């Protein structure tokens, strides 16, 4: 497709750029409409090829209204999402990885406890991962983090005489033997209660 720049002489102020690739050998790309500014002064750098050879959107927060992404699906081909506000940090050290596509092909929030304040989920409906076992032996994973919960379902148990489900909490590695294997304790469960709504 041949490249061309078309200047529309209508009142729309339309400029059309035709071609396969638009290349700009510049460091900054600015979108700056005087009619849409809420304050005078300052830059409006939409895209910046930064000094770390990275791409920065809304460089140094130039746009007071922030950045919005509209659409039904937002797909990120990466394994970490960092939410890191300097003004909300209690310590300048460490990463702030909010979401991680982990090495077990799972989704981890606050991996390695990056956020000292922890994770708060309000009004949540939680559904624990179920580990299905057969027989009387409970097999718990050797690798786990302190605070991990695991719901185990024994498919051989008779629900008329015993609850086929047990709940386990990881309390850390074995400090007595020095092993790095996870140590689990069972969380007592109450009696069966039928749902009514």
């Amino acid at each position: 497709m041949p490249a061309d720049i078309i200047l529309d002489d209508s009142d729309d102020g339309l400029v059309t750029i035709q071609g396969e690739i638009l290349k700009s050998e510049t460091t900054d790309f600015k979108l700056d409409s005087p009619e849409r500014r809420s304050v005078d002064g300052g830059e409006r750098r939409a895209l910046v090829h930064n000094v770390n050879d990275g791409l920065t959107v809304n460089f140094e927060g130039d746009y007071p209204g922030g950045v919005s992404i509209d659409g039904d699906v937002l797909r990120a081909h990466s394994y970490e999402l960092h939410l890191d506000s300097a003004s909300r940090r209690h310590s300048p050290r460490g990463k702030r990885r909010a979401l991680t596509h982990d090495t077990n092909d799972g989704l981890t929030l606050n991996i390695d406890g990056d956020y000292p304040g922890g994770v708060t989920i309000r009004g949540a409906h939680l559904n624990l991962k179920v580990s299905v076992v057969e027989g009387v032996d409970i097999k718990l994973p050797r690798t786990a983090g302190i605070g991990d919960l695991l719901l185990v379902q024994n498919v051989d148990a008779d629900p008329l005489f015993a609850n086929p489900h047990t709940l386990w909490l990881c309390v850390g590695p074995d400090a007595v033997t020095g092993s790095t294997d996870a140590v689990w304790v069972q969380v007592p469960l109450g009696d069966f209660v039928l749902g009514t709504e």
Side-chain angles (χ1 to χ4, degrees):
M1 179 179 182
D4 195 8
I5 299 178
I6 302 173
L7 304 179
D8 193 340
D9 59 1
S10 67
D11 294 334
D12 295 334
L14 180 66
V15 177
T16 302
I17 301 176
Q18 296 179 337
E20 299 292 337
I21 298 174
L22 177 62
K23 182 178 180 180
S24 171
E25 295 185 356
T26 58
T27 58
D28 297 358
F29 176 60
K30 301 180 181 181
L31 290 174
D32 189 0
S33 170
E35 296 176 353
R36 296 193 174 182
R37 276 180 171 260
S38 60
V39 294
D40 294 331
E43 300 281 359
R44 291 297 185 274
R45 292 162 290 188
L47 300 174
V48 172
H49 186 172
N50 63 41
V51 294
N52 296 317
D53 201 11
L55 178 65
T56 302
V57 180
N58 192 16
F59 191 77
E60 294 186 351
D62 282 356
Y63 295 84
V67 177
S68 299
I69 301 176
D70 294 336
D72 295 328
V73 178
L74 175 61
R75 181 175 288 108
H77 295 281
S78 56
Y79 58 83
E80 289 180 358
L81 171 64
H82 296 219
L83 292 176
D84 190 359
S85 170
S87 65
R88 296 192 175 182
R89 273 181 172 260
H90 292 177
S91 169
R93 298 179 180 178
K95 298 179 179 179
R96 293 297 186 272
R97 294 164 291 184
L99 299 175
T100 300
H101 186 172
D102 60 40
T103 55
N104 296 318
D105 200 10
L107 179 65
T108 301
L109 279 70
N110 193 19
I111 193 168
D112 291 338
D114 281 359
Y115 295 84
V119 177
T120 302
I121 303 176
R122 302 185 187 278
H125 175 81
L126 298 179
N127 192 329
L128 297 178
K129 179 180 179 181
V130 179
S131 176
V132 178
V133 298
E134 298 178 359
V136 296
D137 294 331
I138 300 294
K139 296 180 177 63
L140 300 171
R142 290 182 174 179
T143 302
I146 297 176
D148 285 358
L149 283 171
L150 181 64
L151 185 64
V152 177
Q153 178 185 6
N154 190 332
V155 294
D156 291 337
D158 188 343
L160 294 178
F161 298 98
N163 190 341
H165 297 90
T166 53
L167 184 63
W168 298 83
L169 172 68
C170 177
V171 295
D174 191 345
V176 176
T177 64
S179 171
T180 58
D181 291 348
V183 175
W184 298 85
V185 295
Q186 185 172 351
V187 180
L189 299 178
D191 297 331
F192 290 110
V193 177
L194 294 177
T196 59
E197 298 181 6

